[in-house]
Amino acid sequence: MPHRPSDLHPFLERLLTRSVLTAEERCAVLDLPTRADQVSANRDFVHLDQTLQHSCIVVKGLVGRFGQTSQGARQITALHIAGDAPDLHSVVQPKAGSALQALTTTTIVRVPHAALRAVAARYPAIAEAFWRDSVVDAAVLSQWVVNVGRRDARTRMAHLLCEMASRFKARLTDNRASFPFPITQVHLADATGLTPVHVNRTLKCLKELGLMTMNRQWVQISDWKALARMGEFHAGYLQIDIKPEERLRIAVPA
Amino acid sequence: MPHRPSDLHPFLERLLTRSVLTAEERCAVLDLPTRADQVSANRDFVHLDQTLQHSCIVVKGLVGRFGQTSQGARQITALHIAGDAPDLHSVVQPKAGSALQALTTTTIVRVPHAALRAVAARYPAIAEAFWRDSVVDAAVLSQWVVNVGRRDARTRMAHLLCEMASRFKARLTDNRASFPFPITQVHLADATGLTPVHVNRTLKCLKELGLMTMNRQWVQISDWKALARMGEFHAGYLQIDIKPEERLRIAVPA
DNA sequence: CGCGACGTTGAGTTCGGTCAATCAGCGTGG
DNA sequence: CCACGCTGATTGACCGAACTCAACGTCGCG
């Protein structure tokens, strides 16, 4: 069953890396109604405590989930790239527990909860895929707690870079890889729980060790193995690269 | 429809604080087959990378989800009390991404995935409640990232104590509260990302400020408002105390 | 060309870590 | 009953990774 190109393709791909959906179910996902929206850098497009009627999906760009202390310090609790649905959970929990902000000019699409709920009710396998997606996000969060709680600055940074490289599916050739990562050092600081100054020094250190280089738009990893070792990075928790036959499907086809 | 007492009652209660289930659905939850199990303190009962056939539910005691660095430092990423299902997510994601360990002598029940899947398939509202449960857990995790990433030791500790008091539903009278919290300072350190020595000093400080006292088994909060202020604690994210009419139900009754 | 955002660097400080000793409670076995 | 040993709590002295403050550099853009 062929299907026209859609902003939702990357999202469907993401679901399919971990869940099994029939052709009909895939079409149902792609046919979800969407409203595209451009968000400029450093703009919240979901506010704390806002009650949502839509979930959004990142089409292009970079989105951060922000928490914040009463002293005004900000902490990024999750980074979301194209294909991610940063607030899919709002389908069952519409009150936003944290803000979403674009870190660069970002295009998102909004999908009405009504449509998501309808498709989840009609196709239990899609509900299952949504639940699984939330679960994988939680596994990533749990890694972030370990990262921020127990690792030193270099290790933290290396881990984050490895995670993002994996999620961007950066092609690994000859122990090198590179991927577009349009993030400032200030935002890296908010993601790692460091200060911007120390992020700068940490990156300098990783560069001097010959592990990677970075500019505003792009990360070049020059020694993947060493960076992964330094970051204590093991990709398993991301549930990427699941072999097709290992994907799980509970729901029976309609 | 009356029902015999069950180890699953606290779990059902937990689901019902956030989700709406019909009498039939409640019975279906309570009728889940269980196998009780006693776990002694400091014993892993779910190991990293283990593929699970059961989810467990805490009946009595305290369970920690543990992550760990390659240097052997441990970080608790979640604490689970009676009524919690620490690995409900294994229903859709059976490979464990972190270890579960009892922090005191704990009794759990194990529920086969097959039974959970069957009940979720038969009653979409139960699947929805499970998903919502995962989502709330993720919201707590996200708070922990903020806590560990951006707050100083005193604030961190105060926040953790307030969170646990709220989850234990500690009765608040005259700005005081107390609840049973059988945790060692070593485990508190693993939960807050501090060292045991500094936990000790931090608790001493909170005590000297007249905010709380603590021994191995019990926490006494002597000035709830001040402790909550110090910990920047706002209970909203826990999704406790949801008014009955604000609970969400998407699925239509069978 | 000037401005603003971001990146870089140095000097000094501090919060929390490390190491090590001591204390307190408690269950066990002689 | 009491000595022993274990686990966890407490305290002190010192250290160091990361923070703060402040200046300067660089790049893109109006």
Side-chain angles (χ1 to χ4, degrees), chain B residues 37-69:
Chain B
D37 216 338
Q38 185 97 346
V39 190
S40 50
N42 299 309
R43 279 244 306 114
D44 283 20
F45 59 93
V46 169
H47 301 276
L48 189 61
D49 289 336
Q50 188 179 350
T51 299
L52 300 168
Q53 315 276 0
H54 307 259
S55 289
C56 65
I57 291 166
V58 182
V59 173
K60 185 168 175 302
L62 190 61
V63 166
R65 167 182 311 283
F66 281 80
Q68 124 173 259
T69 70

PDB file of all heavy atoms in Angstrom, chain B residues 37-69:
ATOM      1  N   ASP B  37       6.727 -13.013  46.979  1.00  0.00           N
ATOM      2  CA  ASP B  37       8.148 -13.308  47.096  1.00  0.00           C
ATOM      3  C   ASP B  37       8.760 -12.347  48.110  1.00  0.00           C
ATOM      4  O   ASP B  37       8.467 -11.157  48.097  1.00  0.00           O
ATOM      5  CB  ASP B  37       8.815 -13.114  45.728  1.00  0.00           C
ATOM      6  CG  ASP B  37       9.916 -14.127  45.505  1.00  0.00           C
ATOM      7  OD1 ASP B  37      10.432 -14.664  46.495  1.00  0.00           O
ATOM      8  OD2 ASP B  37      10.246 -14.370  44.329  1.00  0.00           O
ATOM      9  N   GLN B  38       9.580 -12.904  48.962  1.00  0.00           N
ATOM     10  CA  GLN B  38      10.248 -12.086  49.972  1.00  0.00           C
ATOM     11  C   GLN B  38      11.669 -11.824  49.484  1.00  0.00           C
ATOM     12  O   GLN B  38      12.363 -12.765  49.085  1.00  0.00           O
ATOM     13  CB  GLN B  38      10.275 -12.854  51.306  1.00  0.00           C
ATOM     14  CG  GLN B  38      10.829 -12.091  52.463  1.00  0.00           C
ATOM     15  CD  GLN B  38       9.696 -11.469  53.306  1.00  0.00           C
ATOM     16  OE1 GLN B  38       8.561 -11.413  52.859  1.00  0.00           O
ATOM     17  NE2 GLN B  38      10.027 -11.011  54.494  1.00  0.00           N
ATOM     18  N   VAL B  39      12.102 -10.576  49.516  1.00  0.00           N
ATOM     19  CA  VAL B  39      13.461 -10.257  49.087  1.00  0.00           C
ATOM     20  C   VAL B  39      14.183  -9.598  50.248  1.00  0.00           C
ATOM     21  O   VAL B  39      13.654  -8.670  50.854  1.00  0.00           O
ATOM     22  CB  VAL B  39      13.460  -9.282  47.890  1.00  0.00           C
ATOM     23  CG1 VAL B  39      14.850  -9.161  47.323  1.00  0.00           C
ATOM     24  CG2 VAL B  39      12.482  -9.737  46.827  1.00  0.00           C
ATOM     25  N   SER B  40      15.378 -10.075  50.553  1.00  0.00           N
ATOM     26  CA  SER B  40      16.080  -9.464  51.680  1.00  0.00           C
ATOM     27  C   SER B  40      16.852  -8.234  51.220  1.00  0.00           C
ATOM     28  O   SER B  40      17.128  -8.043  50.032  1.00  0.00           O
ATOM     29  CB  SER B  40      17.007 -10.482  52.344  1.00  0.00           C
ATOM     30  OG  SER B  40      17.803 -11.106  51.386  1.00  0.00           O
ATOM     31  N   ALA B  41      17.204  -7.404  52.185  1.00  0.00           N
ATOM     32  CA  ALA B  41      17.817  -6.114  51.893  1.00  0.00           C
ATOM     33  C   ALA B  41      19.084  -6.265  51.055  1.00  0.00           C
ATOM     34  O   ALA B  41      19.828  -7.239  51.192  1.00  0.00           O
ATOM     35  CB  ALA B  41      18.150  -5.393  53.207  1.00  0.00           C
ATOM     36  N   ASN B  42      19.292  -5.288  50.184  1.00  0.00           N
ATOM     37  CA  ASN B  42      20.498  -5.240  49.358  1.00  0.00           C
ATOM     38  C   ASN B  42      20.645  -6.425  48.423  1.00  0.00           C
ATOM     39  O   ASN B  42      21.762  -6.784  48.055  1.00  0.00           O
ATOM     40  CB  ASN B  42      21.745  -5.129  50.244  1.00  0.00           C
ATOM     41  CG  ASN B  42      21.721  -3.868  51.068  1.00  0.00           C
ATOM     42  OD1 ASN B  42      21.510  -2.777  50.540  1.00  0.00           O
ATOM     43  ND2 ASN B  42      21.889  -4.010  52.369  1.00  0.00           N
ATOM     44  N   ARG B  43      19.528  -7.003  48.031  1.00  0.00           N
ATOM     45  CA  ARG B  43      19.600  -8.066  47.043  1.00  0.00           C
ATOM     46  C   ARG B  43      18.923  -7.609  45.760  1.00  0.00           C
ATOM     47  O   ARG B  43      17.784  -7.150  45.771  1.00  0.00           O
ATOM     48  CB  ARG B  43      18.884  -9.332  47.561  1.00  0.00           C
ATOM     49  CG  ARG B  43      19.720 -10.158  48.490  1.00  0.00           C
ATOM     50  CD  ARG B  43      20.046 -11.564  47.925  1.00  0.00           C
ATOM     51  NE  ARG B  43      18.886 -12.315  47.512  1.00  0.00           N
ATOM     52  CZ  ARG B  43      18.627 -12.649  46.237  1.00  0.00           C
ATOM     53  NH1 ARG B  43      19.417 -12.267  45.277  1.00  0.00           N
ATOM     54  NH2 ARG B  43      17.559 -13.350  45.930  1.00  0.00           N
ATOM     55  N   ASP B  44      19.644  -7.730  44.646  1.00  0.00           N
ATOM     56  CA  ASP B  44      19.028  -7.495  43.343  1.00  0.00           C
ATOM     57  C   ASP B  44      18.021  -8.605  43.085  1.00  0.00           C
ATOM     58  O   ASP B  44      18.354  -9.777  43.240  1.00  0.00           O
ATOM     59  CB  ASP B  44      20.091  -7.549  42.234  1.00  0.00           C
ATOM     60  CG  ASP B  44      20.923  -6.281  42.172  1.00  0.00           C
ATOM     61  OD1 ASP B  44      20.946  -5.548  43.167  1.00  0.00           O
ATOM     62  OD2 ASP B  44      21.540  -6.033  41.119  1.00  0.00           O
ATOM     63  N   PHE B  45      16.818  -8.237  42.697  1.00  0.00           N
ATOM     64  CA  PHE B  45      15.885  -9.281  42.271  1.00  0.00           C
ATOM     65  C   PHE B  45      15.511  -9.125  40.798  1.00  0.00           C
ATOM     66  O   PHE B  45      14.825  -9.966  40.238  1.00  0.00           O
ATOM     67  CB  PHE B  45      14.654  -9.342  43.166  1.00  0.00           C
ATOM     68  CG  PHE B  45      13.863  -8.063  43.224  1.00  0.00           C
ATOM     69  CD1 PHE B  45      12.803  -7.873  42.368  1.00  0.00           C
ATOM     70  CD2 PHE B  45      14.185  -7.083  44.145  1.00  0.00           C
ATOM     71  CE1 PHE B  45      12.071  -6.691  42.410  1.00  0.00           C
ATOM     72  CE2 PHE B  45      13.451  -5.907  44.201  1.00  0.00           C
ATOM     73  CZ  PHE B  45      12.400  -5.708  43.335  1.00  0.00           C
ATOM     74  N   VAL B  46      15.975  -8.036  40.188  1.00  0.00           N
ATOM     75  CA  VAL B  46      15.955  -7.938  38.726  1.00  0.00           C
ATOM     76  C   VAL B  46      17.346  -7.465  38.324  1.00  0.00           C
ATOM     77  O   VAL B  46      17.857  -6.486  38.879  1.00  0.00           O
ATOM     78  CB  VAL B  46      14.892  -6.946  38.218  1.00  0.00           C
ATOM     79  CG1 VAL B  46      15.070  -6.664  36.745  1.00  0.00           C
ATOM     80  CG2 VAL B  46      13.487  -7.479  38.478  1.00  0.00           C
ATOM     81  N   HIS B  47      17.969  -8.166  37.382  1.00  0.00           N
ATOM     82  CA  HIS B  47      19.326  -7.832  36.999  1.00  0.00           C
ATOM     83  C   HIS B  47      19.332  -7.076  35.674  1.00  0.00           C
ATOM     84  O   HIS B  47      18.407  -7.208  34.862  1.00  0.00           O
ATOM     85  CB  HIS B  47      20.153  -9.116  36.855  1.00  0.00           C
ATOM     86  CG  HIS B  47      20.207  -9.917  38.116  1.00  0.00           C
ATOM     87  ND1 HIS B  47      21.107  -9.653  39.126  1.00  0.00           N
ATOM     88  CD2 HIS B  47      19.448 -10.941  38.557  1.00  0.00           C
ATOM     89  CE1 HIS B  47      20.902 -10.488  40.127  1.00  0.00           C
ATOM     90  NE2 HIS B  47      19.899 -11.296  39.799  1.00  0.00           N
ATOM     91  N   LEU B  48      20.395  -6.319  35.489  1.00  0.00           N
ATOM     92  CA  LEU B  48      20.566  -5.585  34.246  1.00  0.00           C
ATOM     93  C   LEU B  48      20.547  -6.559  33.069  1.00  0.00           C
ATOM     94  O   LEU B  48      21.142  -7.636  33.148  1.00  0.00           O
ATOM     95  CB  LEU B  48      21.907  -4.844  34.295  1.00  0.00           C
ATOM     96  CG  LEU B  48      22.175  -3.850  33.183  1.00  0.00           C
ATOM     97  CD1 LEU B  48      21.147  -2.754  33.196  1.00  0.00           C
ATOM     98  CD2 LEU B  48      23.567  -3.272  33.336  1.00  0.00           C
ATOM     99  N   ASP B  49      19.843  -6.162  32.007  1.00  0.00           N
ATOM    100  CA  ASP B  49      19.800  -6.943  30.765  1.00  0.00           C
ATOM    101  C   ASP B  49      19.018  -8.249  30.880  1.00  0.00           C
ATOM    102  O   ASP B  49      18.953  -9.010  29.916  1.00  0.00           O
ATOM    103  CB  ASP B  49      21.208  -7.270  30.259  1.00  0.00           C
ATOM    104  CG  ASP B  49      21.903  -6.045  29.725  1.00  0.00           C
ATOM    105  OD1 ASP B  49      21.202  -5.097  29.327  1.00  0.00           O
ATOM    106  OD2 ASP B  49      23.149  -6.018  29.717  1.00  0.00           O
ATOM    107  N   GLN B  50      18.458  -8.497  32.044  1.00  0.00           N
ATOM    108  CA  GLN B  50      17.635  -9.692  32.185  1.00  0.00           C
ATOM    109  C   GLN B  50      16.373  -9.549  31.329  1.00  0.00           C
ATOM    110  O   GLN B  50      15.787  -8.474  31.250  1.00  0.00           O
ATOM    111  CB  GLN B  50      17.248  -9.830  33.668  1.00  0.00           C
ATOM    112  CG  GLN B  50      16.549 -11.121  34.018  1.00  0.00           C
ATOM    113  CD  GLN B  50      16.225 -11.189  35.509  1.00  0.00           C
ATOM    114  OE1 GLN B  50      16.688 -10.350  36.286  1.00  0.00           O
ATOM    115  NE2 GLN B  50      15.430 -12.172  35.888  1.00  0.00           N
ATOM    116  N   THR B  51      15.974 -10.610  30.687  1.00  0.00           N
ATOM    117  CA  THR B  51      14.713 -10.580  29.949  1.00  0.00           C
ATOM    118  C   THR B  51      13.612 -11.134  30.841  1.00  0.00           C
ATOM    119  O   THR B  51      13.683 -12.274  31.295  1.00  0.00           O
ATOM    120  CB  THR B  51      14.808 -11.399  28.659  1.00  0.00           C
ATOM    121  OG1 THR B  51      15.829 -10.833  27.838  1.00  0.00           O
ATOM    122  CG2 THR B  51      13.500 -11.356  27.899  1.00  0.00           C
ATOM    123  N   LEU B  52      12.625 -10.296  31.085  1.00  0.00           N
ATOM    124  CA  LEU B  52      11.639 -10.623  32.120  1.00  0.00           C
ATOM    125  C   LEU B  52      10.385 -11.263  31.535  1.00  0.00           C
ATOM    126  O   LEU B  52       9.959 -10.929  30.426  1.00  0.00           O
ATOM    127  CB  LEU B  52      11.250  -9.342  32.862  1.00  0.00           C
ATOM    128  CG  LEU B  52      12.406  -8.627  33.562  1.00  0.00           C
ATOM    129  CD1 LEU B  52      11.979  -7.236  34.011  1.00  0.00           C
ATOM    130  CD2 LEU B  52      12.857  -9.440  34.757  1.00  0.00           C
ATOM    131  N   GLN B  53       9.806 -12.138  32.307  1.00  0.00           N
ATOM    132  CA  GLN B  53       8.526 -12.757  31.958  1.00  0.00           C
ATOM    133  C   GLN B  53       7.437 -12.266  32.910  1.00  0.00           C
ATOM    134  O   GLN B  53       6.275 -12.621  32.747  1.00  0.00           O
ATOM    135  CB  GLN B  53       8.605 -14.293  32.085  1.00  0.00           C
ATOM    136  CG  GLN B  53       9.836 -14.921  31.503  1.00  0.00           C
ATOM    137  CD  GLN B  53       9.714 -15.164  30.014  1.00  0.00           C
ATOM    138  OE1 GLN B  53       8.684 -14.846  29.416  1.00  0.00           O
ATOM    139  NE2 GLN B  53      10.767 -15.698  29.414  1.00  0.00           N
ATOM    140  N   HIS B  54       7.857 -11.525  33.932  1.00  0.00           N
ATOM    141  CA  HIS B  54       6.930 -11.056  34.957  1.00  0.00           C
ATOM    142  C   HIS B  54       7.211  -9.591  35.252  1.00  0.00           C
ATOM    143  O   HIS B  54       8.345  -9.149  35.147  1.00  0.00           O
ATOM    144  CB  HIS B  54       7.128 -11.828  36.269  1.00  0.00           C
ATOM    145  CG  HIS B  54       7.082 -13.314  36.132  1.00  0.00           C
ATOM    146  ND1 HIS B  54       5.979 -14.056  36.450  1.00  0.00           N
ATOM    147  CD2 HIS B  54       8.004 -14.202  35.697  1.00  0.00           C
ATOM    148  CE1 HIS B  54       6.217 -15.335  36.220  1.00  0.00           C
ATOM    149  NE2 HIS B  54       7.447 -15.456  35.771  1.00  0.00           N
ATOM    150  N   SER B  55       6.189  -8.880  35.657  1.00  0.00           N
ATOM    151  CA  SER B  55       6.413  -7.593  36.297  1.00  0.00           C
ATOM    152  C   SER B  55       6.186  -7.786  37.778  1.00  0.00           C
ATOM    153  O   SER B  55       5.471  -8.701  38.193  1.00  0.00           O
ATOM    154  CB  SER B  55       5.428  -6.549  35.769  1.00  0.00           C
ATOM    155  OG  SER B  55       5.746  -6.203  34.451  1.00  0.00           O
ATOM    156  N   CYS B  56       6.793  -6.933  38.592  1.00  0.00           N
ATOM    157  CA  CYS B  56       6.561  -7.103  40.014  1.00  0.00           C
ATOM    158  C   CYS B  56       5.867  -5.872  40.581  1.00  0.00           C
ATOM    159  O   CYS B  56       5.868  -4.788  39.999  1.00  0.00           O
ATOM    160  CB  CYS B  56       7.865  -7.386  40.744  1.00  0.00           C
ATOM    161  SG  CYS B  56       9.000  -6.031  40.684  1.00  0.00           S
ATOM    162  N   ILE B  57       5.248  -6.092  41.718  1.00  0.00           N
ATOM    163  CA  ILE B  57       4.550  -5.029  42.424  1.00  0.00           C
ATOM    164  C   ILE B  57       5.006  -5.074  43.872  1.00  0.00           C
ATOM    165  O   ILE B  57       5.098  -6.156  44.456  1.00  0.00           O
ATOM    166  CB  ILE B  57       3.022  -5.234  42.316  1.00  0.00           C
ATOM    167  CG1 ILE B  57       2.580  -4.979  40.868  1.00  0.00           C
ATOM    168  CG2 ILE B  57       2.273  -4.315  43.267  1.00  0.00           C
ATOM    169  CD1 ILE B  57       1.190  -5.466  40.563  1.00  0.00           C
ATOM    170  N   VAL B  58       5.339  -3.911  44.397  1.00  0.00           N
ATOM    171  CA  VAL B  58       5.830  -3.855  45.775  1.00  0.00           C
ATOM    172  C   VAL B  58       4.640  -3.921  46.726  1.00  0.00           C
ATOM    173  O   VAL B  58       3.691  -3.141  46.601  1.00  0.00           O
ATOM    174  CB  VAL B  58       6.623  -2.559  46.028  1.00  0.00           C
ATOM    175  CG1 VAL B  58       7.153  -2.542  47.455  1.00  0.00           C
ATOM    176  CG2 VAL B  58       7.753  -2.424  45.029  1.00  0.00           C
ATOM    177  N   VAL B  59       4.682  -4.845  47.660  1.00  0.00           N
ATOM    178  CA  VAL B  59       3.599  -4.995  48.625  1.00  0.00           C
ATOM    179  C   VAL B  59       3.989  -4.327  49.944  1.00  0.00           C
ATOM    180  O   VAL B  59       3.154  -3.714  50.613  1.00  0.00           O
ATOM    181  CB  VAL B  59       3.292  -6.489  48.864  1.00  0.00           C
ATOM    182  CG1 VAL B  59       2.296  -6.678  49.999  1.00  0.00           C
ATOM    183  CG2 VAL B  59       2.766  -7.110  47.579  1.00  0.00           C
ATOM    184  N   LYS B  60       5.254  -4.425  50.279  1.00  0.00           N
ATOM    185  CA  LYS B  60       5.721  -3.919  51.570  1.00  0.00           C
ATOM    186  C   LYS B  60       7.225  -3.727  51.457  1.00  0.00           C
ATOM    187  O   LYS B  60       7.909  -4.588  50.915  1.00  0.00           O
ATOM    188  CB  LYS B  60       5.403  -4.960  52.654  1.00  0.00           C
ATOM    189  CG  LYS B  60       5.700  -4.571  54.090  1.00  0.00           C
ATOM    190  CD  LYS B  60       5.045  -5.578  55.018  1.00  0.00           C
ATOM    191  CE  LYS B  60       5.412  -5.327  56.470  1.00  0.00           C
ATOM    192  NZ  LYS B  60       6.892  -5.382  56.649  1.00  0.00           N
ATOM    193  N   GLY B  61       7.711  -2.589  51.931  1.00  0.00           N
ATOM    194  CA  GLY B  61       9.150  -2.364  51.879  1.00  0.00           C
ATOM    195  C   GLY B  61       9.520  -1.263  50.900  1.00  0.00           C
ATOM    196  O   GLY B  61       8.706  -0.400  50.584  1.00  0.00           O
ATOM    197  N   LEU B  62      10.748  -1.311  50.449  1.00  0.00           N
ATOM    198  CA  LEU B  62      11.287  -0.225  49.640  1.00  0.00           C
ATOM    199  C   LEU B  62      12.211  -0.805  48.572  1.00  0.00           C
ATOM    200  O   LEU B  62      13.070  -1.633  48.874  1.00  0.00           O
ATOM    201  CB  LEU B  62      12.075   0.726  50.559  1.00  0.00           C
ATOM    202  CG  LEU B  62      12.539   2.057  50.013  1.00  0.00           C
ATOM    203  CD1 LEU B  62      11.356   2.910  49.569  1.00  0.00           C
ATOM    204  CD2 LEU B  62      13.348   2.791  51.075  1.00  0.00           C
ATOM    205  N   VAL B  63      12.020  -0.351  47.340  1.00  0.00           N
ATOM    206  CA  VAL B  63      12.797  -0.872  46.219  1.00  0.00           C
ATOM    207  C   VAL B  63      13.494   0.278  45.510  1.00  0.00           C
ATOM    208  O   VAL B  63      12.907   1.346  45.342  1.00  0.00           O
ATOM    209  CB  VAL B  63      11.870  -1.620  45.231  1.00  0.00           C
ATOM    210  CG1 VAL B  63      12.569  -1.881  43.915  1.00  0.00           C
ATOM    211  CG2 VAL B  63      11.379  -2.920  45.845  1.00  0.00           C
ATOM    212  N   GLY B  64      14.730   0.072  45.119  1.00  0.00           N
ATOM    213  CA  GLY B  64      15.451   1.075  44.347  1.00  0.00           C
ATOM    214  C   GLY B  64      15.781   0.564  42.955  1.00  0.00           C
ATOM    215  O   GLY B  64      16.137  -0.602  42.799  1.00  0.00           O
ATOM    216  N   ARG B  65      15.652   1.452  41.983  1.00  0.00           N
ATOM    217  CA  ARG B  65      16.139   1.156  40.639  1.00  0.00           C
ATOM    218  C   ARG B  65      17.555   1.690  40.551  1.00  0.00           C
ATOM    219  O   ARG B  65      17.794   2.862  40.843  1.00  0.00           O
ATOM    220  CB  ARG B  65      15.245   1.837  39.615  1.00  0.00           C
ATOM    221  CG  ARG B  65      15.781   1.890  38.201  1.00  0.00           C
ATOM    222  CD  ARG B  65      14.818   2.632  37.286  1.00  0.00           C
ATOM    223  NE  ARG B  65      13.487   2.124  37.474  1.00  0.00           N
ATOM    224  CZ  ARG B  65      13.059   0.979  36.974  1.00  0.00           C
ATOM    225  NH1 ARG B  65      13.853   0.268  36.205  1.00  0.00           N
ATOM    226  NH2 ARG B  65      11.843   0.562  37.219  1.00  0.00           N
ATOM    227  N   PHE B  66      18.501   0.868  40.181  1.00  0.00           N
ATOM    228  CA  PHE B  66      19.908   1.249  40.226  1.00  0.00           C
ATOM    229  C   PHE B  66      20.538   1.337  38.849  1.00  0.00           C
ATOM    230  O   PHE B  66      20.375   0.455  38.021  1.00  0.00           O
ATOM    231  CB  PHE B  66      20.711   0.219  41.045  1.00  0.00           C
ATOM    232  CG  PHE B  66      20.588   0.394  42.526  1.00  0.00           C
ATOM    233  CD1 PHE B  66      19.479  -0.076  43.203  1.00  0.00           C
ATOM    234  CD2 PHE B  66      21.568   1.040  43.250  1.00  0.00           C
ATOM    235  CE1 PHE B  66      19.349   0.087  44.568  1.00  0.00           C
ATOM    236  CE2 PHE B  66      21.457   1.210  44.620  1.00  0.00           C
ATOM    237  CZ  PHE B  66      20.347   0.735  45.281  1.00  0.00           C
ATOM    238  N   GLY B  67      21.253   2.406  38.630  1.00  0.00           N
ATOM    239  CA  GLY B  67      22.158   2.486  37.495  1.00  0.00           C
ATOM    240  C   GLY B  67      23.555   2.479  38.056  1.00  0.00           C
ATOM    241  O   GLY B  67      23.751   2.704  39.243  1.00  0.00           O
ATOM    242  N   GLN B  68      24.537   2.248  37.190  1.00  0.00           N
ATOM    243  CA  GLN B  68      25.877   2.209  37.749  1.00  0.00           C
ATOM    244  C   GLN B  68      26.934   2.553  36.714  1.00  0.00           C
ATOM    245  O   GLN B  68      26.778   2.298  35.538  1.00  0.00           O
ATOM    246  CB  GLN B  68      26.030   0.866  38.421  1.00  0.00           C
ATOM    247  CG  GLN B  68      27.125  -0.058  38.071  1.00  0.00           C
ATOM    248  CD  GLN B  68      27.071  -1.235  39.071  1.00  0.00           C
ATOM    249  OE1 GLN B  68      27.824  -1.319  40.021  1.00  0.00           O
ATOM    250  NE2 GLN B  68      26.151  -2.143  38.832  1.00  0.00           N
ATOM    251  N   THR B  69      27.970   3.225  37.167  1.00  0.00           N
ATOM    252  CA  THR B  69      29.047   3.616  36.269  1.00  0.00           C
ATOM    253  C   THR B  69      30.090   2.508  36.239  1.00  0.00           C
ATOM    254  O   THR B  69      30.068   1.609  37.066  1.00  0.00           O
ATOM    255  CB  THR B  69      29.730   4.898  36.762  1.00  0.00           C
ATOM    256  OG1 THR B  69      30.458   4.590  37.939  1.00  0.00           O
ATOM    257  CG2 THR B  69      28.725   5.972  37.069  1.00  0.00           C
TER     258      THR B  69
END
